[in-house]
Amino acid sequence: MTRMMGATTWAAFAPILAGLALSAMAAQADETAPGDAAAGGALAERLCARCHAIAGPGPSPLVEAPPFSGFERQWPVYFLAEAMAEGLVIGHGPMPEFTFSPQQIEDMLAYLHSVQLADSGAVADGLALATEDCAACHRVQESQPQPPAVAINETTTQEMIAAPSFREIARRDGRDAAYLRSFIQEPHYPMPEQQFIPEELNAIVGYIVSLKDSAGSW
């Protein structure tokens, strides 16, 4: 059943959706593949770009339609899962009704995660966490000296390599928020497995992304 919301603010209805969204996503978890941010971006371009700024800080083509990049400043993007599944009209009257398949929900949520812009507070939190948890191997800010090289054990030999700085990582092609989030959750050898709660992971990823256009060559 489709539900309607007119002038209700986004912040007001977000807590109501939280419990429903979590249960909906749990029920879908066994039926869908992991979200594809590229597919979600194509879906957003086709269905949403006429009104919303779907990448970057905006403004949106329709002034009252919030930019996609700022959703997580008010609530986690996964709160939208139930709304998308039921075709909820959100925030303003002109928005048409859409109903998404479970896989489209996963794809759209992956895309929304990939375009979030961290605010200054989140970036500061990300730097603090990176300094505590990542600086033993990576240079996480310009003022930090280069950490010692990391030993890589091959079949019969051992090689020493320097882990890339966070700025190097941020400037590599394809290192957007979605890629970084996925890599940190499922790292490749020799990077050890990480145990971050979602808020910590988002803060670290936001900090790395913020370095993409930073000055210097560290």
Side-chain angles (χ1 to χ4, degrees):
M1 178 177 64
T2 300
R3 294 177 297 171
M4 305 289 290
M5 283 191 175
T8 305
T9 63
W10 293 66
F13 74 78
I16 300 173
L17 294 179
L20 294 174
L22 291 172
S23 61
M25 293 185 72
Q28 295 161 4
D30 295 334
E31 303 174 6
T32 58
D36 181 335
L43 191 63
E45 179 68 34
R46 179 166 59 88
L47 299 179
C48 312
R50 184 179 67 177
C51 297
H52 295 268
I54 63 171
S60 295
L62 186 66
V63 174
E64 59 265 42
F68 279 15
S69 62
F71 282 2
E72 285 197 337
R73 295 178 185 177
Q74 298 185 48
W75 66 89
V77 166
Y78 64 74
F79 280 11
L80 297 177
E82 177 76 4
M84 291 166 64
E86 295 195 5
L88 180 64
V89 176
I90 304 171
H92 55 83
M95 182 172 174
E97 298 176 41
F98 299 118
T99 300
F100 296 84
S101 71
Q103 187 58 56
Q104 287 175 323
I105 292 173
E106 295 293 329
D107 295 344
M108 183 67 85
L109 295 179
Y111 176 72
L112 288 170
H113 277 301
S114 76
V115 299
Q116 296 308 298
L117 299 178
D119 60 29
S120 58
V123 167
D125 290 343
L127 172 58
L129 287 163
T131 300
E132 179 179 349
D133 296 313
C134 311
C137 297
H138 296 274
R139 190 178 177 189
V140 303
Q141 58 181 322
E142 188 171 11
S143 61
Q144 177 193 343
Q146 176 63 42
V150 179
I152 305 297
N153 295 311
E154 303 294 346
T155 53
T156 58
T157 61
Q158 186 178 78
E159 181 182 358
M160 303 297 291
I161 66 167
S165 72
F166 273 22
R167 184 179 182 277
E168 289 179 277
I169 294 170
R171 293 176 65 86
R172 290 176 179 175
D173 290 340
R175 268 43 174 186
D176 59 13
Y179 174 89
L180 293 170
R181 188 177 288 104
S182 176
F183 185 90
I184 294 171
Q185 289 176 311
E186 298 182 8
H188 302 268
Y189 177 81
M191 181 173 166
E193 184 176 349
Q194 309 298 310
Q195 298 292 330
F196 295 118
I197 63 174
E199 292 80 6
E200 293 174 336
L201 179 60
N202 287 341
I204 291 174
V205 167
Y207 171 64
I208 297 174
V209 171
S210 76
L211 299 172
K212 182 176 180 63
D213 298 319
S214 62
S217 58
W218 58 281

